[in-house]
Amino acid sequence: MTESRRSFLKATALTTAGAALSVAFDAAASAADDKLAAASRLTDAEGQYALPPLPYEYKALEPVIDEATVRLHHDVHHKAYVDGANAALKRLAAARADGDFALVKHWSRELSFHGSGHVLHTLYWTSLTPTPGGEPKGELREAIAADFGDLARLKAHLIKATVAVEASGWGVLAYNALDRRLTVLQAEKHQDLTVWGAIPLLVIDVWEHAYYLKYQSKRADYVVAVWDILDWTAAGRRFEAAR
Ligand SMILES: [Fe+2]
C-alpha cells in the first residue's frame, strides 16, 4: 500500500451510527482519481463534516438525471444532512461538557439520520458517472459471480429491491466485512435496515427528491435508467478497500 493510499484511508475512514465506511482511492493514480478522492471526503481539515464537491458538472448526468435535480439534491438536500450531522455532534459535545444528557436520545437519533444521510449521498454521487465504463471488473466481478450467480441476477435483485423500498430510502450493494459476502440491502430513510458489518459499495437514492422533477412517480423508470450510469470502477475501489 502506498503512503498516499494509507493517508487517504486514514483521512476518509468514518464510523457513524454503527455502520463503518472506509473509502480508499489512490490519489496519485490519475486526475480522475483525484477528483473521485475529493468527492469522497466526508470531513474537512478541522474534522467537521463538509459537503464534498461533485466529481462532475451538474448537467453531466443528463439525460438520466437532469441538471436541476442534481443541483437541488447536492446543494440543498445533501448540504442539509451535513449541517444536521454537525449540529448533532455539537449538541452531544455540549451535553458531555455540561453533564446534561436529558436530550441524548434526540441528538443520537439526529446524528444517525443526518450522518447516514451525508455518508449515503457522498456515496451516491460517486456511485454515478457520466462516463460509465461498462461492467464490474476484477475481484468485484468474481465476488458478484460467487455471491449472486452473475451480473444479470445482481441487476434484477438490486433494481427490484431499490424500487420496492418503502417510502424514502436507498438501494444498497454492500460488502459485509464480518461474513465476507456481498449483499443487497434496502435502507429506509438513511439509517434503518442495515446489517451490522455492512460496508456500502454502491447506492441508489430513491427519496423523491432524487427523481421527482423528471420522473414524477415513475420510480422504477428512474432506477432502471440509473443502472446504466453506475460507476463500477469506484465500486471496485471501495470493494478493494473494504476487503
Ligand atoms: Fe437524496
Side-chain angles (χ1 to χ4, degrees), residues 1 39 44-45 57 66 77 88 95 100 102 104 116 127 139-140 156 166 177 182 184 191 194 199 220 241-242:
M1 184 182 288
D44 60 19
E57 300 292 321
D66 58 288
H77 293 284
D100 178 0
V104 69
S116 298
S127 289
E139 291 183 349
L140 179 58
E166 186 169 303
L182 290 171
V184 168
Q191 71 279 34
T194 187
I199 299 169

Side-chain angles (χ1 to χ4, degrees), residues 5-224:
R5 172 164 289 186
R6 246 194 309 276
S7 57
F8 191 79
L9 264 170
K10 192 175 170 191
T12 56
L14 170 81
T15 299
T16 182
L21 167 69
S22 182
V23 184
F25 297 103
D26 189 341
S30 68
D33 275 1
D34 285 349
K35 201 178 277 189
L36 204 48
S40 302
R41 285 202 183 93
L42 297 167
T43 55
D44 60 19
E46 282 76 47
Q48 292 284 302
Y49 289 125
L51 183 67
L54 285 174
Y56 34 71
E57 300 292 321
Y58 290 104
K59 64 182 179 187
L61 301 177
E62 291 188 346
V64 176
I65 306 177
D66 58 288
E67 178 179 353
T69 295
V70 173
R71 198 175 283 280
L72 272 173
H73 197 172
H74 178 266
D75 294 4
V76 178
H77 293 284
H78 186 169
K79 175 72 162 50
Y81 299 124
V82 172
D83 293 344
N86 280 327
L89 284 180
K90 195 173 166 187
R91 296 299 291 263
L92 288 166
R96 288 193 296 276
D98 299 343
D100 178 0
F101 293 98
L103 294 177
V104 69
K105 180 177 175 181
H106 170 74
W107 290 112
S108 298
R109 292 175 74 100
E110 286 286 289
L111 179 59
S112 176
F113 176 78
H114 291 286
S116 298
H118 178 31
V119 168
L120 287 175
H121 280 90
T122 301
L123 282 166
Y124 176 65
W125 303 122
T126 55
S127 289
L128 306 176
T129 173
T131 53
E135 299 187 346
K137 298 178 181 70
E139 291 183 349
L140 179 58
R141 185 183 186 88
E142 291 169 18
I144 288 169
D147 294 330
F148 295 99
D150 56 32
L151 184 64
R153 288 182 198 182
L154 166 61
K155 178 179 180 180
H157 186 169
L158 182 59
I159 287 177
K160 290 291 185 187
T162 304
V163 172
V165 169
E166 186 169 303
S168 298
W170 300 77
V172 179
L173 172 64
Y175 174 71
N176 195 303
L178 300 180
D179 61 14
R180 297 176 175 274
R181 195 176 2 221
L182 290 171
T183 185
V184 168
L185 296 169
Q186 295 178 318
E188 291 181 1
K189 296 185 284 179
H190 306 304
Q191 71 279 34
D192 294 342
L193 301 186
T194 187
V195 172
W196 296 112
I199 299 169
L201 304 178
L202 190 142
V203 301
I204 302 173
D205 190 342
V206 285
W207 285 58
E208 287 182 350
H209 64 227
Y211 61 86
Y212 216 82
L213 286 183
K214 180 178 171 74
Y215 294 89
Q216 271 99 67
S217 61
K218 295 175 182 167
R219 178 189 280 187
D221 290 359
Y222 154 77
V223 175
V224 168

